[in-house]
Amino acid sequence: MGTFCGFDPRNLLICCILLFLSSSTAQLSFAAKTRHFKWAVEYMFWAPDCQEHVVMGINGQFPGPTIRAKAGDTIAIELTNKLHTEGVVIHWHGIRQLGTPWADGTASISQCAINPGETFLYRFKVDKAGTYFYHGHLGMQRSAGLYGSLIVDVAEGEKEPFHYDGEFNLLLSDWWHESVHEQEVGLSSNPFRWIGEPQSLLINGRGQYNCSLAAQFSNGTTEQCKLRGNEQCAPQILHVLPNKTYRIRIASTTALASLNLAVANHKMVVVEADGNYVQPFEVEDMDIYSGESYSVLLTTNQDPSKNYWVSVGVRGRKPQTPQGLTILNYRPTSASKLPLTPPPVTPRWDDYNHSKSFSNKILALMGSPKPPRSFDRRIFLLNTQNRISGFTKWAINNVSLVLPATPYLGSIKFGLKGAFDQNSPPENFPGDYDVMKPALNPNSTHGNGVYLLGLNTTVDIILQNANALAADVSEIHPWHLHGHDFWVLGYGEGKFSEKDEKKLNLKNPPLRNTAVIFPFGWTALRFVADNPGAWAFHCHIEPHLHMGMGVVFAEGVHRVGRIPNEALACGLTGKRFLKPTKN
């Protein structure tokens, strides 16, 4: 697990840099493995928050099984769809799919949906150590519970740039009692029916509805949870020994909620973000948006006769969902001994200065790849909520994405002009558009055009936030890019302008695959289009994507090798390239 660097952040940084630089030149003395899995996706009854409902699980598990591999390994998953009436795909969030764009797991972009009864082989290499996860990427199947953790350890013979004695994995999610199909219909209805806030926040698929582990601090307004410990909703306790350092891997697969995580009486040192090392920095709590992942180091230096709350609470939306809770249990203290003090107080939901302060502290570790000094192309993406023919939609530059029947990867590779809109989507929005007092965008339309990028060109994306339909309302949007990491060059207020160029960080910007855009603000990203394929770039809030908040990038598709027939067995590619089955 590495050489001990101490826990003082100043000493830790120096030691981390030295270890990182030395490990990067280490000679590998191992043979990469292929790790095989057989999975079946199905609906099943489960009680994630002590109330039984139907969830989408894998091999009878919720959340799905954790994948653990080493950098350089190949993952091979035979995925069988045991859903009776709907297709399925799984996206391997944060895995770049170098050379295997068809395995990205995005319906209508990289592959066809896997039909009921069919089996599809996902085979891809995990090239970089880090904390990742996987989830459904068709309709709103992530909301239905189709997700799990994917952990990639450093390759044999390499070292992490920090020391730890043990580790935990926290997969964070939100949960509704209303079925995902009802949610989808409500979002697509006229008049619009909002799904509402989640009933529960889950930690590793476990939460408590209509009761609280910390009811003794609620002035009698909440019932104490009566749990024996073997229920599906019973919290997973984090068992620790005193005076040790633990790595906590955190990933958020929430459908809606932005979260804040805290461990009572303990500070955390952030060391990894989205599979990339960052300059270590210390926090008492941290915001985590849907699609993000982190590693933090926590030292168990508190009174070992007590236990301590681990809490997650809602940020960015007025919270109507109680905190999710579990316990940090100091051995040999009994895990049933509840903490004697209230859980940490989640920062006020609209304290965006707190959120921005955290985001601005995330910087690349010395020795990390630096961005190109200039860009070849800059695309502005205006985020707005709109109405189209009376239906409420989200749009980018006034275009709401509707995915085609034929996956882009196949239709572009084989030159099928009728598969999607051949007109290029807009790369900017009108210069006189006032993002602080925006119009209601009556000229919005549906579309499925593609941003065609030159292979190996440097692309800047300026995410520009504006309004929801309600006056003076702008929401947080976490944006996730498939197939790449990008550098986060900076954040700003209002409308991006030439004067903001000087604010961009080209010295040590963090590499991420997900970045937040704050209300009425902008976020600047830079990436190199060096991965042939067709890739989604979208808001990771699932209702927003369902309502059209995304775009598609394509680069070097002509260089993509043979795509498995099973990935293209639908739409125009299915009709043209697959032989009919004989009776």
Side-chain angles (χ1 to χ4, degrees), residues 75-265:
I75 305 295
I77 299 173
E78 294 182 47
L79 186 72
T80 299
N81 181 1
K82 289 194 174 182
L83 308 173
H84 296 296
T85 59
E86 59 188 292
V88 71
V89 296
I90 290 183
H91 168 56
W92 316 97
H93 187 108
I95 305 302
R96 292 179 291 178
Q97 301 295 346
L98 300 171
T100 52
W102 52 265
D104 189 48
T106 46
S108 297
I109 298 175
S110 63
Q111 70 168 111
C112 302
I114 307 164
N115 289 323
E118 292 182 344
T119 297
F120 184 84
L121 175 64
Y122 286 104
R123 187 181 179 92
F124 55 89
K125 180 177 287 189
V126 289
D127 65 304
K128 188 171 61 170
T131 303
Y132 308 103
F133 61 102
Y134 61 85
H135 59 81
H137 216 294
L138 174 63
M140 292 179 62
Q141 291 179 342
R142 178 156 51 98
S143 295
L146 184 54
Y147 47 75
S149 295
L150 198 170
I151 307 300
V152 181
D153 294 306
V154 294
E156 204 72 39
E158 293 192 349
K159 295 180 179 180
E160 300 274 18
F162 42 80
H163 162 82
Y164 52 99
D165 301 298
E167 73 174 65
F168 299 100
N169 185 44
L170 298 183
L171 185 63
L172 310 179
S173 55
D174 41 16
W175 181 247
W176 284 259
H177 292 170
E178 187 178 28
S179 79
V180 68
H181 302 295
E182 291 178 278
Q183 294 181 39
E184 288 175 340
V185 172
L187 295 172
S188 304
S189 293
N190 186 4
F192 177 68
R193 296 189 183 185
W194 175 236
I195 62 175
E197 304 302 311
Q199 276 66 60
S200 306
L201 300 179
L202 308 182
I203 301 175
N204 291 338
R206 297 161 179 256
Q208 296 78 42
Y209 174 72
N210 222 18
C211 72
S212 173
L213 299 175
Q216 68 269 37
F217 304 108
S218 64
N219 298 320
T221 58
T222 304
E223 181 181 343
Q224 182 71 38
C225 295
K226 299 178 177 63
L227 300 171
R228 298 183 303 275
N230 59 350
E231 297 90 349
Q232 292 172 337
C233 62
Q236 283 189 349
I237 308 297
L238 279 58
H239 301 289
V240 298
L241 294 173
N243 300 313
K244 300 290 184 181
T245 297
Y246 291 88
R247 178 182 191 169
I248 305 178
R249 297 180 182 266
I250 310 154
S252 175
T253 185
T254 56
L256 176 67
S258 302
L259 300 175
N260 181 271
L261 172 78
V263 182
N265 289 48

Side-chain angles (χ1 to χ4, degrees), residues 325-583:
L325 296 171
T326 189
I327 294 172
L328 186 73
N329 165 233
Y330 272 68
R331 293 288 182 87
T333 302
S334 170
S336 62
K337 183 178 179 180
L338 292 175
L340 300 176
T341 54
V345 176
T346 301
R348 182 179 166 86
W349 70 274
D350 57 356
D351 183 357
Y352 296 118
N353 287 332
H354 188 87
S355 306
K356 293 171 184 177
S357 174
F358 174 75
S359 294
N360 284 317
K361 290 177 182 175
I362 303 172
L363 301 170
L365 185 65
M366 186 181 297
S368 300
K370 291 188 177 183
R373 299 295 299 178
S374 60
F375 60 89
D376 299 305
R377 183 174 177 184
R378 176 172 278 174
I379 301 172
F380 291 81
L381 299 179
L382 176 68
N383 295 227
T384 57
Q385 193 178 52
N386 309 65
R387 285 198 181 95
I388 302 177
S389 302
F391 292 88
T392 301
K393 297 292 181 181
W394 285 96
I396 304 303
N397 293 346
N398 279 346
V399 178
S400 185
L401 180 64
V402 178
L403 293 172
T406 305
Y408 291 102
L409 185 64
S411 57
I412 296 173
K413 181 174 175 61
F414 298 115
L416 305 181
K417 301 295 185 182
F420 62 91
D421 185 356
Q422 297 298 299
N423 294 316
S424 298
E427 302 202 6
N428 209 329
F429 55 93
D432 60 355
Y433 188 92
D434 186 347
V435 300
M436 302 305 293
K437 295 180 180 179
L440 293 182
N441 307 298
N443 298 321
S444 298
T445 184
H446 297 108
N448 56 25
V450 177
Y451 292 93
L452 296 174
L453 309 177
L455 189 62
N456 295 319
T457 59
T458 299
V459 181
D460 274 13
I461 303 295
I462 308 297
L463 292 168
Q464 179 66 64
N465 210 351
N467 67 306
L469 286 171
D472 300 319
V473 173
S474 186
E475 298 187 14
I476 277 179
H477 300 291
W479 275 79
H480 172 58
L481 177 60
H482 293 227
H484 308 76
D485 284 346
F486 49 66
W487 289 276
V488 183
L489 302 185
Y491 309 89
E493 310 294 330
K495 187 177 180 180
F496 184 86
S497 64
E498 289 186 11
K499 70 178 187 300
D500 293 314
E501 296 279 355
K502 298 179 182 178
K503 301 178 183 177
L504 300 184
N505 175 16
L506 298 178
K507 179 182 177 182
N508 55 357
L511 268 173
R512 307 292 303 267
N513 61 58
T514 304
V516 64
I517 177 174
F518 292 106
F520 293 116
W522 56 264
T523 298
L525 313 175
R526 179 168 293 177
F527 71 98
V528 178
D530 57 0
N531 190 6
W535 308 106
F537 182 45
H538 61 90
C539 177
H540 210 260
I541 294 175
E542 193 155 57
H544 293 184
L545 175 58
H546 184 72
M547 296 161 65
M549 199 171 193
V551 299
V552 176
F553 296 136
E555 67 219 46
V557 176
H558 62 286
R559 293 198 179 186
V560 175
R562 182 186 175 277
I563 304 169
N565 287 349
E566 296 80 5
L568 302 178
C570 62
L572 298 180
T573 47
K575 294 176 183 178
R576 180 165 180 169
F577 295 104
L578 294 182
K579 296 179 180 179
T581 303
K582 296 182 179 180
N583 294 327

